[in-house]
Amino acid sequence: MSLIFTVAITIIGLVFSCVSSSSASDDILENFLNCLHFHNSTSISNVVYTKTSPSYHSLLHSSIKNLRFSSNNILKPLVIVTPLQPSHVQATVLCAQLHDLQIRMRSGAHDSEGLSYISQVPFVIIDFINYRNIQVDVKNKTTWVQVGATIGELYYSIATKTKTLAFPAGVCPTVGVGGHFSGGGYGYLLRKYGLSADNIIDAHIIDARGRFLDREAMGEDLFWAIRGGGGASFGVSLAWKIKLVSVPSTVTRFIVPRTLEQNATRLIHKWQSVASELHKDLTISLTLQMVNSSNSNKGELTVQALFQGLFLGGVNKVIPLMQESFPELGLVKEDCSEMSWVESTLYFWGFGGQPLEVLLNRSQVITDSFKEKTDYVRHPISESGLEGLWRLFYEDGAKGVFIAMFPFGGRMSEILESEIPFPNRAGTLYHIHYAVHWVEEGEEVAEKHIDWMRKLYSYMEAFVSKSPREAYVNIKDLDFGVNNINGYTSYEQASIWGFKYFKNNFNRLVHVKTKVDPLNFFRFEQSIPPHM
Ligand SMILES: Cc1cc2nc3c(=O)[nH]c(=O)nc-3n(C[C@H](O)[C@H](O)[C@H](O)COP(=O)(O)OP(=O)(O)OC[C@H]3O[C@@H](n4cnc5c(N)ncnc54)[C@H](O)[C@@H]3O)c2cc1C
Ligand SMILES: *[C@@H]1O[C@H](CO)[C@@H](O)[C@H](O)[C@H]1NC(C)=O
Ligand SMILES: *[C@@H]1O[C@H](CO)[C@@H](O)[C@H](O)[C@H]1NC(C)=O
Ligand SMILES: *[C@@H]1O[C@H](CO)[C@@H](O)[C@H](O)[C@H]1NC(C)=O
Ligand SMILES: *[C@@H]1O[C@H](CO)[C@@H](O)[C@H](O)[C@H]1NC(C)=O
Ligand SMILES: CC(=O)N[C@H]1CO[C@H](CO)[C@@H](O)[C@@H]1O
């Protein structure tokens, strides 16, 4: 009784203060906050931050990875909610609908277009920073992981229990499992075990009606859609149940750098047809960047190809395997080191030899500005095609270029295109992830690098997948187009990017969306639209 009375008094107080401050957005804010308190008056106030909260700004900026989206003239959320339990998310979803606010969900904040924390219209962020419990069940080889955990935290939790279980996910330990698993998720275990999303066996989500659903309650259509259909179109994911995979207690990691002067072009050309055909236990990725040329005057740059390998076994086995399948690389024992699987994750991120606790450091990624794009390659690019690419690397806008090529094949080719929404399976030789980074501030610098990235993308068109030119939904690219801000986006319009990310699976995603969120509450620049 007295609680209701207090709430009523508070609301009367708020109504009066709204009248005096009299801005429409203040009204929306107050109404939204009151709604939250009504839904969960006992505990939600501790996890709600408004612009006047002392820690609002540090919370907002704490996890932003792309400084391109942190400037002052970008619209900021009215409220940030950091849920501790499902009821906080349920209340936020229901109240946001009631008061016509959009929601942005943020787990690791690595979104390439900042879509987990920016919006063109008034919005609320659900930030899962404090929702990251991980329960590893070694006996059953499963784990429940809450969406706010990073993959580094997941790797660490598994490794502290056992050396012979692992999980196939990305290279960068600060990536969040909320976004990453929603869009696929790949790393050095891809060729043996597939994507993160291929290894999800249950999930908890909150749907547009505010219901808490597990796999059984949501049904197989929705469970299909949230494993690779990209985050934030179908509901708010809370946790994943994943199947752990077996790895030997000793793996071998190797690194072989080759510059243009060391015949990198010919090696890359060869790598393209070899890498997806290798034994499943062997993965060789390729990164390209500019380095100072060693055998010329200071200041002269060359392209460096870094061949990095993981073999699920000892060094004595990988040397003969490489002799047989890729002798041109000239791999020798000295290029290799044996270690546990989790130690290899540190090496691939450049923290080799450091304590495992590095995996728990959520702020260890350098924050700068960047623009990314992706492609899939089905036929090897000719040597002259590669040479044309090198010429672009010497242009001004290319400063800070970083390209990663990741081989498919193996397990990826055994999974049907329609198994989950992620469609790039048999026939894909490798994935390319283009990035250009810069630290200088200002529009002009940004424009220079973004223009260069677009030029690179247009150069590559001749060499990559066509009709559609495929792209990876976990590295979104708004150059493909966006949904109309406030209203209706046609199936045709959304197909432009929908087919690039999902091929024919886009149709089933639209079908699921129409069923579970017909009013299109969960929407953002490239969300899946319902049929209207
Ligand atoms: C430095 C860096 C390295 C990367 N390395 C790899 C890699 O090795 N392999 C790879 O496959 N990808 C990689 N990526 C891409 C990465 O997988 C995606 O950016 C991924 O979406 C990030 O997830 P997040 O939770 O960190 O991001 P967020 O920005 O938090 O989320 C990304 C998207 O998912 C939505 N989302 C977040 N949480 C939820 C939730 N709980 N429920 C529903 N939707 C949600 C967001 O709203 C947003 O649309 C990398 C990206 C960066 C920046
Ligand atoms: C683990 O597996 C056993 C037997 O397969 C089963 O009885 C038990 O419920 C499982 N535990 C969990 C937490 O899933
Ligand atoms: C590059 O190729 C040439 C011609 O085959 C060969 O002579 C040379 O040794 C190679 N260089 C390196 C560093 O492998
Ligand atoms: C090349 O060397 C110069 C001078 O030593 C250094 O400033 C620059 O950062 C180097 N460039 C690269 C790409 O390593
Ligand atoms: C996390 O990494 C950053 C950047 O390398 C470093 O400054 C910071 O001290 C690290 N934090 C911890 C707790 O180790
Ligand atoms: C209505 C509602 O969702 N109430 C929840 C608020 O939070 C407490 C925990 O503090 C839950 O037990 C309630 O169910």
Side-chain angles (χ1 to χ4, degrees):
M1 203 51 169
S2 75
L3 180 70
I4 293 171
F5 187 65
T6 315
V7 171
I9 297 284
T10 312
I11 289 168
I12 292 167
L14 290 172
V15 170
F16 280 115
S17 68
C18 286
V19 172
S20 52
S21 71
S22 83
S23 121
S25 86
D26 282 355
D27 287 351
I28 294 176
L29 175 63
E30 299 303 348
N31 292 338
F32 175 75
L33 293 177
N34 288 333
C35 177
L36 283 187
H37 290 236
F38 271 127
H39 270 90
N40 205 318
S41 54
T42 50
S43 68
I44 204 164
S45 31
N46 302 329
V47 297
V48 171
Y49 301 81
T50 63
K51 286 178 185 167
T52 54
S53 314
S55 42
Y56 170 92
H57 287 280
S58 59
L59 178 61
L60 178 63
H61 290 282
S62 59
S63 61
I64 290 181
K65 295 292 176 291
N66 194 341
L67 297 183
R68 202 148 65 85
F69 304 114
S70 67
S71 74
N72 286 333
N73 50 18
I74 284 180
L75 187 64
K76 304 289 184 247
L78 278 180
V79 177
I80 306 173
V81 180
T82 57
L84 298 172
Q85 57 198 42
S87 68
H88 295 157
V89 177
Q90 290 171 301
T92 310
V93 165
L94 293 171
C95 295
Q97 277 177 86
L98 203 58
H99 297 288
D100 210 16
L101 290 167
Q102 281 195 11
I103 284 189
R104 291 291 178 269
M105 302 146 221
R106 181 160 84 169
S107 290
H110 284 64
D111 194 273
S112 47
E113 298 280 11
L115 300 180
S116 52
Y117 51 87
I118 62 174
S119 161
Q120 310 300 313
V121 297
F123 70 113
V124 173
I125 292 180
I126 303 179
D127 188 324
F128 286 96
I129 184 70
N130 294 322
Y131 200 81
R132 44 198 242 241
N133 188 265
I134 301 172
Q135 284 182 330
V136 180
D137 181 343
V138 172
K139 214 168 116 233
N140 285 359
K141 300 188 181 172
T142 58
T143 291
W144 270 107
V145 54
Q146 292 183 334
V147 288
T150 62
I151 57 175
E153 290 168 342
L154 175 62
Y155 294 166
Y156 182 87
S157 299
I158 298 170
T160 50
K161 296 237 166 142
T162 167
K163 272 187 150 186
T164 54
L165 291 175
F167 191 68
V171 179
C172 167
T174 54
V175 163
V177 309
H180 191 60
F181 293 8
S182 299
Y186 73 82
Y188 283 86
L189 295 176
L190 174 88
R191 303 193 64 254
K192 176 90 170 184
Y193 293 113
L195 304 162
S196 306
D198 291 325
N199 293 280
I200 296 173
I201 52 179
D202 202 343
H204 292 161
I205 71 162
I206 302 298
D207 75 357
R209 289 160 64 187
R211 294 179 302 182
F212 176 98
L213 306 172
D214 65 3
R215 177 177 183 167
E216 199 186 339
M218 78 179 84
E220 287 304 299
D221 254 358
L222 181 52
F223 185 60
W224 175 85
I226 60 172
R227 289 172 298 152
S233 281
F234 302 96
V236 188
S237 298
L238 295 180
W240 309 107
K241 185 179 186 182
I242 57 177
K243 194 171 66 189
L244 302 182
V245 301
S246 298
V247 289
S249 54
T250 301
V251 305
T252 302
R253 176 258 180 190
F254 60 84
I255 182 159
V256 180
R258 292 285 185 267
T259 59
L260 293 186
E261 294 75 28
Q262 297 166 315
N263 300 333
T265 308
R266 198 167 343 129
L267 287 172
I268 295 167
H269 182 256
K270 185 69 204 252
W271 171 89
Q272 297 179 93
S273 52
V274 167
S276 63
E277 298 292 323
L278 291 170
H279 192 286
K280 268 186 199 173
D281 288 348
L282 178 56
T283 298
I284 306 175
S285 82
L286 185 51
T287 53
L288 305 173
Q289 58 191 327
M290 298 301 275
V291 297
N292 282 318
S293 179
S294 60
N295 58 359
S296 66
N297 294 329
K298 249 197 176 158
E300 204 168 308
L301 296 175
T302 184
V303 178
Q304 183 193 60
L306 214 50
F307 295 87
Q308 295 205 70
L310 176 70
F311 177 65
L312 298 174
V315 65
N316 290 335
K317 276 194 178 160
V318 73
I319 299 286
L321 198 57
M322 284 293 284
Q323 269 307 325
E324 189 187 313
S325 36
F326 195 9
E328 296 84 351
L329 191 61
L331 186 75
V332 292
K333 238 179 157 153
E334 289 67 37
D335 302 321
C336 304
S337 3
E338 290 185 339
M339 57 189 69
S340 67
W341 165 76
V342 75
E343 284 165 346
S344 79
T345 68
L346 286 177
Y347 274 90
F348 291 124
W349 188 242
F351 287 88
Q354 299 213 21
L356 289 188
E357 282 67 28
V358 169
L359 292 171
L360 306 177
N361 187 343
R362 299 174 73 100
S363 53
Q364 132 241 116
V365 178
I366 307 154
T367 39
D368 54 14
S369 297
F370 57 89
K371 173 66 189 167
E372 302 176 294
K373 286 179 180 288
T374 59
D375 264 319
Y376 289 92
V377 176
R378 297 173 159 269
H379 306 286
I381 303 171
S382 63
E383 286 194 31
S384 66
L386 292 170
E387 280 155 4
L389 183 57
W390 310 154
R391 281 192 288 278
L392 290 174
F393 280 17
Y394 288 90
E395 293 186 359
D396 201 24
K399 196 163 164 268
V401 64
F402 184 80
I403 294 185
M405 297 169 156
F406 212 93
F408 277 33
R411 176 77 188 127
M412 287 300 278
S413 301
E414 297 167 2
I415 299 174
L416 290 179
E417 283 195 6
S418 57
E419 186 70 29
I420 63 169
F422 183 98
N424 307 93
R425 303 290 182 170
T428 297
L429 297 183
Y430 61 97
H431 174 246
I432 313 184
H433 175 180
Y434 314 95
V436 61
H437 290 255
W438 62 95
V439 291
E440 303 90 335
E441 285 175 22
E443 287 292 311
E444 217 170 290
V445 178
E447 212 168 288
K448 178 178 77 180
H449 290 293
I450 294 170
D451 283 350
W452 179 81
M453 179 56 79
R454 290 178 181 146
K455 181 174 173 186
L456 168 83
Y457 192 68
S458 114
Y459 172 77
M460 292 302 290
E461 183 178 2
F463 308 107
V464 299
S465 65
K466 295 176 183 57
S467 323
R469 181 173 181 179
E470 297 150 17
Y472 181 28
V473 71
N474 256 348
I475 299 174
K476 287 189 216 75
D477 183 359
L478 296 190
D479 288 352
F480 297 149
V482 295
N483 286 313
N484 304 331
I485 286 185
N486 267 325
Y488 166 80
T489 298
S490 71
Y491 167 85
E492 286 71 27
Q493 187 179 335
S495 298
I496 297 170
W497 57 90
F499 278 92
K500 287 176 184 298
Y501 294 142
F502 308 112
K503 300 211 257 180
N504 285 330
N505 292 331
F506 179 62
N507 291 324
R508 185 169 173 196
L509 288 170
V510 171
H511 170 79
V512 177
K513 174 74 177 182
T514 310
K515 223 166 66 175
V516 304
D517 185 20
L519 298 180
N520 203 15
F521 170 61
F522 291 113
R523 65 179 187 274
F524 59 93
E525 282 73 357
Q526 286 185 342
S527 56
I528 308 285
H531 264 308
M532 291 201 181

